[in-house]
Amino acid sequence: MKKPEEYIIMRFVEGQASEEELAAVNAWVNESDENARELYELEATWQRLEAQKVSAEKLEQAMLRVMSHPAHGAEPQRARTQPMRRWLSYAAAAVVVLVTGGALAYWLHTQVPQQQMLVAQSVEATQQIVLADGTHVWLNKGSQLRYPEQFEGAERQVELQGEGYFEVTKDSLHPFIVSNEVMTVKVLGTKFNFKADAKGKTAEVSLIEGSVGVRNSRISDMVVLMPGQKAEIDQKTGMLRVSEVNTRLSAIWHDDLIPFENANINEIARTLEAVYGVTVVLSDGLDLHSTYSGSIKRKSNIDSVLHSLCNTLPVSYRIKGKKVTLF
């Protein structure tokens, strides 16, 4: 299949393509892995340019250096820059469509901070990293984080595939941005859990502390979350849903601690159900008014956790299959 016209690919990357243009680009991408890689590189570069707020003037200067680079042969510079000038009239990011192979790598090296990739591959432990601004990030197994060696420009931007827990260093002048193809989260300094499914169809963010703005990655309207709220986005429908939940449960994986804050025995039972996938039944006569605050180390089986609870609370337990009785 013939490659779509450059302006169609540009519209696709910007999220402005018509249904007919979308069909053309998708058909071209599905034709080969090489086509898919090319489009992925263009989209990733466009996002980085957006984050860096690169002006059309700076793009033209960078392109002139690229076109005169020895790796591109002896073709006259003027002839090479003519298509670039036409593309600048569309959008700054669209220029990169004309740069391929070594030119793209050289241009990125000169204009965009070097990008790093961290992949959490361990099946037993999470992966932790401290970014250049002091932000702490924990990655769940199989997750990937793309981040710059140094943050430059007006925003601190990273890309996440999978699940990550963030404790963001406060900087009111430089918002911290976490994004993927479904969701974009904007924060100044806070604690939250960001999760996206492997196929990029859904994404969710659970806010533990502070406040964050959340939006569909292709829509500008943003919703502000408060602690204890979770936002979910379905890429197919584009709908953003906000709910009140125990957001700390979403982040248990990063420190293996089950948190309780002024929780009575009924609330503790519901938490154990959520974490271990069991049914917890409360016997008559249990004190439902006393509360408990603290954290219990998550164990591989619920029996160990219940044993720890019994050392603190005036309860006993019995386990039969997936049913736990507290008495």
Side-chain angles (χ1 to χ4, degrees), residues 191-262:
K191 298 179 181 180
F192 62 94
N193 194 75
F194 187 102
K195 181 179 180 180
D197 75 327
K199 296 183 179 180
K201 293 183 178 179
T202 62
E204 64 181 52
V205 59
S206 300
L207 181 61
I208 288 87
E209 293 182 12
S211 65
V212 299
V214 183
R215 65 176 177 85
N216 185 313
S217 288
R218 294 190 176 275
I219 299 176
S220 59
D221 293 340
M222 186 164 282
V223 173
V224 177
L225 298 186
M226 300 302 290
Q229 291 184 325
K230 178 173 75 173
E232 302 170 272
I233 293 179
D234 185 308
Q235 186 184 42
K236 185 176 181 180
T237 63
M239 296 294 293
L240 189 155
R241 184 168 66 91
V242 177
S243 57
E244 303 282 342
V245 298
N246 185 349
T247 54
R248 291 184 181 274
L249 294 182
S250 301
I252 286 178
W253 61 267
H254 99 279
D255 57 11
D256 277 335
L257 293 177
I258 304 174
F260 299 108
E261 185 174 352
N262 295 323

Side-chain angles (χ1 to χ4, degrees), residues 298-318:
R298 181 174 64 168
K299 308 290 186 178
S300 58
N301 61 77
I302 193 173
D303 187 64
S304 298
V305 174
L306 290 170
H307 183 73
S308 297
L309 275 176
C310 289
N311 290 332
T312 305
L313 301 177
V315 297
S316 298
Y317 68 94
R318 182 173 57 252

Side-chain angles (χ1 to χ4, degrees), residues 128-196:
Q128 183 180 0
I129 186 173
V130 180
L131 303 182
D133 65 337
T135 291
H136 289 253
V137 184
W138 288 260
L139 293 183
N140 210 343
K141 58 185 179 182
S143 301
Q144 299 180 0
L145 179 73
R146 187 185 297 275
Y147 61 96
E149 283 190 342
Q150 296 292 331
F151 290 108
E152 298 180 5
E155 297 176 338
R156 298 170 287 164
Q157 186 165 32
V158 300
E159 299 172 25
L160 175 67
Q161 299 296 334
E163 184 170 19
Y165 177 84
F166 292 78
E167 293 186 358
V168 179
T169 298
K170 292 184 178 181
D171 184 348
S172 60
L173 299 180
H174 302 89
F176 192 91
I177 309 293
V178 184
S179 64
N180 63 11
E181 58 270 29
V182 181
M183 177 183 284
T184 297
V185 178
K186 183 175 183 179
V187 305
L188 296 177
T190 192
K191 298 179 181 180
F192 62 94
N193 194 75
F194 187 102
K195 181 179 180 180

